[in-house]
């Protein structure tokens, strides 16, 4: 794990990609076409805890699967942007409408569609198994892989720094 961001106390918003971050990237497709992903329970706990403590938690994903939305809504996440063709546009609209300064955002992504958004954030985070280009720009690299607690590790680190964990 590596954090070079000097001031984690400014972070008030967590934004996550789904595939490869909240899941391990595996996609199970059944004969009827239904697609299923596995989410990490510890990541879910951390996101719920962050919301209860007053942090914003948002999701920006290029995929749009109903099951993913159901899981995220179960956690209490309201800011869910699935099927995002241009993550930068979604991010810019979100922070503008919410009055969020980009330096107060921790964004966790794992692959090239996340790169431009990550470059705009205060903390650029990725799972241990992220693509090399993403790892190179990250200020936080989890010791855990996508879907294996990487989101929990990021949330816990920042919240402990702020004495809110």
């Amino acid at each position: 794990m590596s954090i070079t961001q000097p001031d984690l106390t400014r972070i008030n918003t967590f934004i996550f990609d789904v595939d490869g971050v909240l899941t391990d990237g595996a996609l199970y497709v059944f004969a009827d076409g239904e697609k299923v992903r596995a989410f990490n329970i510890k990541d879910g706990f951390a996101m719920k805890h962050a919301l209860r403590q007053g942090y914003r938690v948002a999701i920006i994903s290029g995929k749009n699967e109903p099951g993913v939305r159901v899981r995220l809504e179960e956690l209490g996440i309201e800011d869910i942007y699935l099927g995002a063709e241009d993550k930068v546009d979604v991010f810019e609209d979100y922070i503008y409408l919410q009055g969020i300064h980009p330096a107060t955002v921790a964004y966790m992504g794992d692959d090239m569609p996340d790169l431009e958004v990550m470059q705009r954030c205060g903390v650029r985070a990725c799972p241990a198994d992220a693509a090399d280009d993403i790892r190179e720009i990250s200020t936080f690299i989890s010791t855990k892989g996508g879907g294996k607690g990487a989101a929990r590790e990021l949330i816990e680190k920042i919240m402990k720094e702020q004495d809110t964990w």
Side-chain angles (χ1 to χ4, degrees):
M1 173 176 55
S2 156
I3 293 189
T4 58
Q5 176 67 24
D7 187 9
L8 300 179
T9 62
R10 297 182 65 194
I11 301 303
N12 60 30
T13 303
F14 296 98
I15 302 178
F16 298 97
D17 177 32
V18 174
D19 293 322
V21 173
L22 298 180
T23 75
D24 66 4
L27 181 64
Y28 303 96
V29 182
F30 293 101
D32 65 0
E34 181 182 7
K35 298 173 185 168
V36 178
R37 293 164 176 80
F39 288 85
N40 184 288
I41 294 297
K42 291 177 183 170
D43 287 343
F45 171 82
M47 288 186 286
K48 283 178 77 166
H49 185 59
L51 287 166
R52 283 193 303 266
Q53 295 299 317
Y55 293 86
R56 289 183 186 92
V57 177
I59 305 298
I60 302 176
S61 176
K63 300 286 189 296
N64 187 7
E65 298 291 335
V68 170
R69 180 174 298 279
V70 168
R71 172 62 180 149
L72 298 171
E73 288 175 349
E74 285 175 349
L75 297 173
I77 299 170
E78 296 176 0
D79 301 326
I80 303 169
Y81 303 93
L82 302 180
E85 292 183 27
D86 186 333
K87 290 185 177 189
V88 172
D89 283 348
V90 172
F91 172 78
E92 294 292 340
D93 288 347
Y94 176 69
I95 64 169
Y96 174 76
L97 292 172
Q98 298 293 325
I100 300 168
H101 191 282
T104 66
V105 175
Y107 184 102
M108 182 173 271
D110 71 309
D111 213 339
M112 296 309 291
D114 302 304
L115 186 109
E116 284 187 63
V117 176
M118 290 175 70
Q119 292 173 326
R120 290 167 162 75
C121 297
V123 173
R124 299 178 304 274
C126 71
D129 55 356
D132 289 342
D133 289 337
I134 298 302
R135 291 173 54 84
E136 287 174 14
I137 67 156
S138 292
T139 55
F140 175 92
I141 300 173
S142 176
T143 61
K144 301 175 184 331
K148 306 293 183 195
R152 161 74 177 256
E153 187 177 20
L154 172 66
I155 292 169
E156 188 173 338
K157 175 71 176 173
I158 289 172
M159 291 180 69
K160 282 183 175 179
E161 181 73 21
Q162 296 179 15
D163 292 323
T164 56
W165 182 252

